Amino acid sequence: MNLQALIVEDDLAVQSFLQTLLQSQNFTVQTTSSGQQCLQLLCNQNVDLVLLDLGLADLDGQLVLQQLRQWTAVPVIVISARGKEQDKIQALDSGANDYITKPFSAGELLARIRAALRQHQGSVQTLQFGDVEIDPIQRLILKNGTPLHLTKTEYDILLLLLKHAGSVLTHNQILRQVWGEMYQGRPEYVRVHMATLRQKIEDNPATPQFIKTEAGVGYRFSH
Ligand code: CA
């Protein structure tokens, strides 16, 4: 499965250069020139790498970095025309994995991307419950050693439940995180996908061991 990269850059020439470069390395690429949209995309989608410019039209890149670090460990490489030491220190202190100054060479950027992804992979552990194992980097799920084929929605729901294991998630919390704000009040979406997810991960979906229903409220993941 291709890694997903998000390029946040308001200089369209640089944006297009980065897009072509990453696509040549088999990344699936999304681009935006807006810091606000970057945060929304990170909320709603799986992203494996962010290239972030600091001088954006709507939000300063430093602020985008601080905000996204409140909830995601996705590798972020800052690419900026700001070469001052203080800008670099601030970005790295705010959680950037690396900082590269424009102009930069394609080879150096790709080497830094590889390093950031390696470092991130080393820090992410395989998740496990019962006989199910999840590798969040490869998005590979094994049950009793056999690969399980989850849809993107099922996968997103499972990871959300695992992240909040032990706590109840309401239908609306799940809808907001997995589908987005506009789907609130549609619990039937959750029910349908929860049923197919249980079919895949539970030994006995009728009496689930892991995904418990909290009647009238939502769901709770239990190890
Ligand atoms: Ca810029």
Side-chain angles (χ1 to χ4, degrees), residues 74-135:
V74 63
V76 178
I77 298 178
V78 168
I79 299 180
S80 178
R82 299 179 194 168
K84 286 201 216 102
E85 189 184 16
Q86 195 49 43
D87 291 313
K88 294 184 189 174
I89 292 170
Q90 193 189 344
L92 293 168
D93 279 348
S94 299
N97 298 69
D98 205 346
Y99 193 109
I100 189 163
T101 309
K102 295 173 189 168
F104 54 86
S105 80
E108 182 182 0
L109 176 61
L110 291 177
R112 286 176 185 247
I113 288 173
R114 287 194 295 273
L117 291 173
R118 268 199 309 275
Q119 184 192 23
H120 183 66
Q121 185 152 25
S123 70
V124 174
Q125 292 179 344
T126 307
L127 304 167
Q128 195 164 12
F129 56 90
D131 59 1
V132 178
E133 258 180 86
I134 304 171
D135 176 341

Side-chain angles (χ1 to χ4, degrees), residues 41-217:
L41 285 167
L42 286 173
C43 264
N44 296 324
Q45 299 184 21
N46 287 308
V47 174
D48 302 297
L49 171 73
V50 179
L51 300 184
L52 176 67
D53 179 31
L54 292 182
L56 300 168
D58 58 345
L59 283 181
D60 189 88
Q62 300 274 17
L63 192 62
V64 175
L65 192 52
Q66 285 161 22
Q67 294 203 5
L68 69 87
R69 274 295 174 254
Q70 290 174 11
W71 83 90
T72 172
V74 63
V76 178
I77 298 178
V78 168
I79 299 180
S80 178
R82 299 179 194 168
K84 286 201 216 102
E85 189 184 16
Q86 195 49 43
D87 291 313
K88 294 184 189 174
I89 292 170
Q90 193 189 344
L92 293 168
D93 279 348
S94 299
N97 298 69
D98 205 346
Y99 193 109
I100 189 163
T101 309
K102 295 173 189 168
F104 54 86
S105 80
E108 182 182 0
L109 176 61
L110 291 177
R112 286 176 185 247
I113 288 173
R114 287 194 295 273
L117 291 173
R118 268 199 309 275
Q119 184 192 23
H120 183 66
Q121 185 152 25
S123 70
V124 174
Q125 292 179 344
T126 307
L127 304 167
Q128 195 164 12
F129 56 90
D131 59 1
V132 178
E133 258 180 86
I134 304 171
D135 176 341
I137 298 279
Q138 313 267 352
R139 287 191 207 141
L140 184 67
I141 303 169
L142 300 173
K143 183 168 170 65
N144 209 357
T146 308
L148 283 183
H149 298 286
L150 301 192
T151 65
K152 182 178 181 307
T153 302
E154 289 162 358
Y155 182 84
D156 290 347
I157 293 174
L158 179 58
L159 250 64
L160 183 68
L161 287 168
L162 275 169
K163 200 165 134 190
H164 298 277
S167 311
V168 179
L169 285 170
T170 66
H171 292 108
N172 273 339
Q173 281 171 327
I174 297 170
L175 284 162
R176 196 162 55 235
Q177 296 284 329
V178 176
W179 280 268
E181 290 289 341
M182 68 191 88
Y183 287 89
Q184 297 207 51
R186 305 293 299 269
E188 67 276 15
Y189 279 54
V190 182
R191 280 190 210 109
V192 168
H193 291 269
M194 207 60 86
T196 56
L197 179 58
R198 277 174 168 156
Q199 291 288 342
K200 293 177 185 178
I201 67 163
E202 299 279 358
D203 289 340
N204 187 352
T207 53
Q209 180 189 355
F210 302 115
I211 303 177
K212 311 278 192 192
T213 300
E214 296 285 335
V217 185

